[in-house]
Amino acid sequence: MKRLMMSLSIVLLVIGLAGCGGGGGNASEKDGKITLTVMQSNTGPAFKEVYQQIVKDFEKENPNIKINLQSPGQNYENILKMKMASNELPDLFDTHGWAIKRYGNYLADLSQEDWATDLTESIKSLITDDNGKLYVLPLNESKEGIFYNVDVLKKYNVEVPKTFDELIAASEKIKKESNGEVLPFYASALDAWTIGQYFDYFANPLLISPEHNHADALLKNEFDWSKWSFLPEKYKMMYDKGLLNEDMLTAKQVDENRLFAENKLAFAIHSAGTYSDIKKINPDVKMGVFPIPAIVEGDEPTFVGGEREALGIWKDTKHMDEAKKFLKFMAKKENIKQVSDITNSPAPFKSIQVGGDIADSYEQYKEVRVLPYFDRVYLPNGMWDVMCTLGQELIYGNITPDEFSKKMDEEVNRLISQQKNK
């Protein structure tokens, strides 16, 4: 019944969005004014404020084009899946890391756009196929590790951890010496991506970054999934030891900002994109990013990176020229810099220097390897949701770490088989 109600809710939401977008998300034309529907996945308040201002500036410069900006939040992927099934997509939409692998067949080629020549090689290679088709305009690049409160580590005399064991030791030290007033980590089962991030981030140091790794076995679907159990074992241990918030099952991710602002939280396993929202609560808070600690002896810490906020054009839009005009406006250097700075991430253009509040961290760790997100390379499409759900079930106590690994094996094979039969 819960699944049925969820499905009905999504359907109703899609219908509602379609009604707002003019023809199921297609561009519409009324009284000589064209409306383009633009769908965006990032719902962070500071990000939305910047994005909405860029849209207003575009509409002021182009009075005959109206932008219907939609941000459906956590239902974003499900809505796009349904729109792909009916081939009625928004005129422009955020590909949230999946420009080629998931949305490639629905996107127009942007390789001839003026801004394409300014893309950094690190991002261009990820959004361009072997035939030279460029799928999206990236608004920033991902370079992510452990987001942390600098003053908390300083107060408890904790060095930046370089190994997973050091990270756990640092967490235990902070919890003990603060008498439980400072949380080491925070996550929300209601916003399950905060759980999924742990597994996706730490899969690289466990399985990919060491000299002797499992990359080839994963790509050939020959991986022994019992080796995955380390990750759920450690995550459950973190929760049982109180290194994660006790109210994880009912907590909301947005409350993390307040805890960081009040210096009551040490670490978060996600990008620095929320820094701007944290500073609105406490302008003096000092945050940083350090590389994901190594797990295997002899290995070095790494970052994860790749496509982040990116905007593509639906290849069947009825107003391609207007869509490209909006994309060209978004690609103005001042607009790209605004988005990069507010999300505290590197810019995708060679002509723009790294800005934002995390620039010092990027400079400090500029020589650290950046590996692609684990799930985007080594897992079939659909496994992200599986990881998030299994992480929830682990914390609920419904499955053991070994059962988690077995389910990963089963779901990988199911999705690979399903996608082969399409």
Side-chain angles (χ1 to χ4, degrees), residues 246-265:
E246 186 179 357
D247 66 345
M248 186 198 296
L249 300 178
T250 57
K252 295 180 180 179
Q253 193 275 331
V254 69
D255 292 331
E256 179 192 277
N257 293 346
R258 175 184 54 79
L259 292 171
F260 268 137
E262 295 174 355
N263 295 322
K264 292 181 179 179
L265 179 61

Side-chain angles (χ1 to χ4, degrees), residues 34 36 58 65 113 313 317-328:
I34 291 169
L36 297 175
F58 172 81
I65 304 176
E113 300 305 298
I313 299 176
T317 178
K318 294 177 181 177
H319 293 284
M320 182 64 72
D321 289 342
E322 289 78 8
K324 286 187 175 181
K325 193 171 190 177
F326 177 69
L327 216 56
K328 184 175 182 179

Side-chain angles (χ1 to χ4, degrees), residues 286-320:
K286 178 64 176 173
M287 305 292 295
V289 174
F290 61 82
I292 301 165
I295 292 176
V296 177
E297 187 175 354
D299 194 25
E300 295 292 329
T302 54
F303 284 113
V304 292
E307 178 191 343
R308 195 173 174 194
E309 273 79 34
L311 201 55
I313 299 176
W314 181 34
K315 65 180 179 63
D316 294 328
T317 178
K318 294 177 181 177
H319 293 284
M320 182 64 72

Side-chain angles (χ1 to χ4, degrees), residues 129-377:
D129 66 19
D130 294 339
N131 296 318
K133 177 179 176 180
L134 177 66
Y135 289 81
V136 287
L137 164 68
L139 306 182
N140 53 14
E141 286 190 46
S142 283
K143 188 175 183 179
E144 301 171 12
I146 306 299
F147 187 43
Y148 74 106
N149 186 306
V150 174
D151 289 332
V152 166
L153 265 63
K154 192 176 295 183
K155 180 177 180 179
Y156 296 102
N157 196 28
V158 171
E159 296 290 327
V160 167
K162 294 182 179 179
T163 69
F164 189 87
D165 288 343
E166 289 177 3
L167 181 64
I168 298 302
S171 300
E172 292 175 334
K173 185 176 192 291
I174 290 168
K175 182 189 177 187
K176 181 180 179 180
E177 295 186 9
S178 69
N179 294 315
E181 289 295 313
V182 180
L183 266 172
F185 287 94
Y186 185 90
S188 163
L190 299 179
D191 300 286
W193 67 266
T194 60
I195 298 174
Q197 291 285 93
Y198 161 83
F199 294 99
D200 207 43
Y201 275 27
F202 281 101
N204 274 340
L206 178 67
L207 305 173
I208 306 302
S209 65
E211 182 179 358
H212 300 290
N213 58 62
H214 302 277
D216 194 50
L218 282 157
L219 291 171
K220 292 178 178 178
N221 195 26
E222 297 173 353
F223 177 61
D224 175 4
W225 281 95
S226 67
K227 299 182 185 301
W228 177 267
S229 293
F230 174 93
L231 295 177
E233 283 170 3
K234 294 299 183 182
Y235 198 63
K236 187 65 164 61
M237 175 272 291
M238 290 164 65
Y239 181 70
D240 291 342
K241 282 191 170 185
L243 305 183
L244 280 154
N245 48 307
E246 186 179 357
D247 66 345
M248 186 198 296
L249 300 178
T250 57
K252 295 180 180 179
Q253 193 275 331
V254 69
D255 292 331
E256 179 192 277
N257 293 346
R258 175 184 54 79
L259 292 171
F260 268 137
E262 295 174 355
N263 295 322
K264 292 181 179 179
L265 179 61
F267 309 113
I269 307 172
H270 59 67
S271 77
T274 58
Y275 196 176
S276 299
D277 297 316
I278 296 167
K279 288 189 74 173
K280 286 184 177 181
I281 303 171
N282 176 11
D284 297 324
V285 68
K286 178 64 176 173
M287 305 292 295
V289 174
F290 61 82
I292 301 165
I295 292 176
V296 177
E297 187 175 354
D299 194 25
E300 295 292 329
T302 54
F303 284 113
V304 292
E307 178 191 343
R308 195 173 174 194
E309 273 79 34
L311 201 55
I313 299 176
W314 181 34
K315 65 180 179 63
D316 294 328
T317 178
K318 294 177 181 177
H319 293 284
M320 182 64 72
D321 289 342
E322 289 78 8
K324 286 187 175 181
K325 193 171 190 177
F326 177 69
L327 216 56
K328 184 175 182 179
F329 188 86
M330 288 293 299
K332 284 186 173 183
K333 290 180 183 178
E334 58 267 33
N335 292 334
I336 293 294
K337 182 166 176 55
Q338 280 191 83
V339 173
S340 292
D341 287 356
I342 204 67
T343 56
N344 289 289
S345 52
F349 289 171
K350 291 178 282 189
S351 59
I352 300 177
Q353 296 297 310
V354 175
D357 297 308
I358 304 293
D360 290 347
S361 290
Y362 291 141
E363 178 62 26
Q364 180 181 354
Y365 298 111
K366 62 183 179 182
E367 302 300 327
V368 172
R369 290 175 298 161
V370 181
L371 303 182
Y373 292 98
F374 177 80
D375 70 306
R376 296 182 190 175
V377 177

Side-chain angles (χ1 to χ4, degrees), residues 236 249 389-401 403-404 407:
K236 187 65 164 61
L249 300 178
T389 301
L390 291 176
Q392 289 172 308
E393 293 298 305
L394 179 75
I395 298 303
Y396 278 120
N398 293 338
I399 60 173
T400 66
E403 289 170 336
F404 190 125
K407 284 285 186 183

Side-chain angles (χ1 to χ4, degrees), residues 26-35 319:
N26 296 345
S28 62
E29 192 167 354
K30 185 178 180 182
D31 299 327
K33 181 177 284 192
I34 291 169
T35 297
H319 293 284

Side-chain angles (χ1 to χ4, degrees), residues 84-97:
M84 284 191 293
S86 62
N87 198 36
E88 287 288 331
L89 280 95
D91 304 291
L92 302 100
F93 60 95
D94 174 22
T95 53
H96 60 99

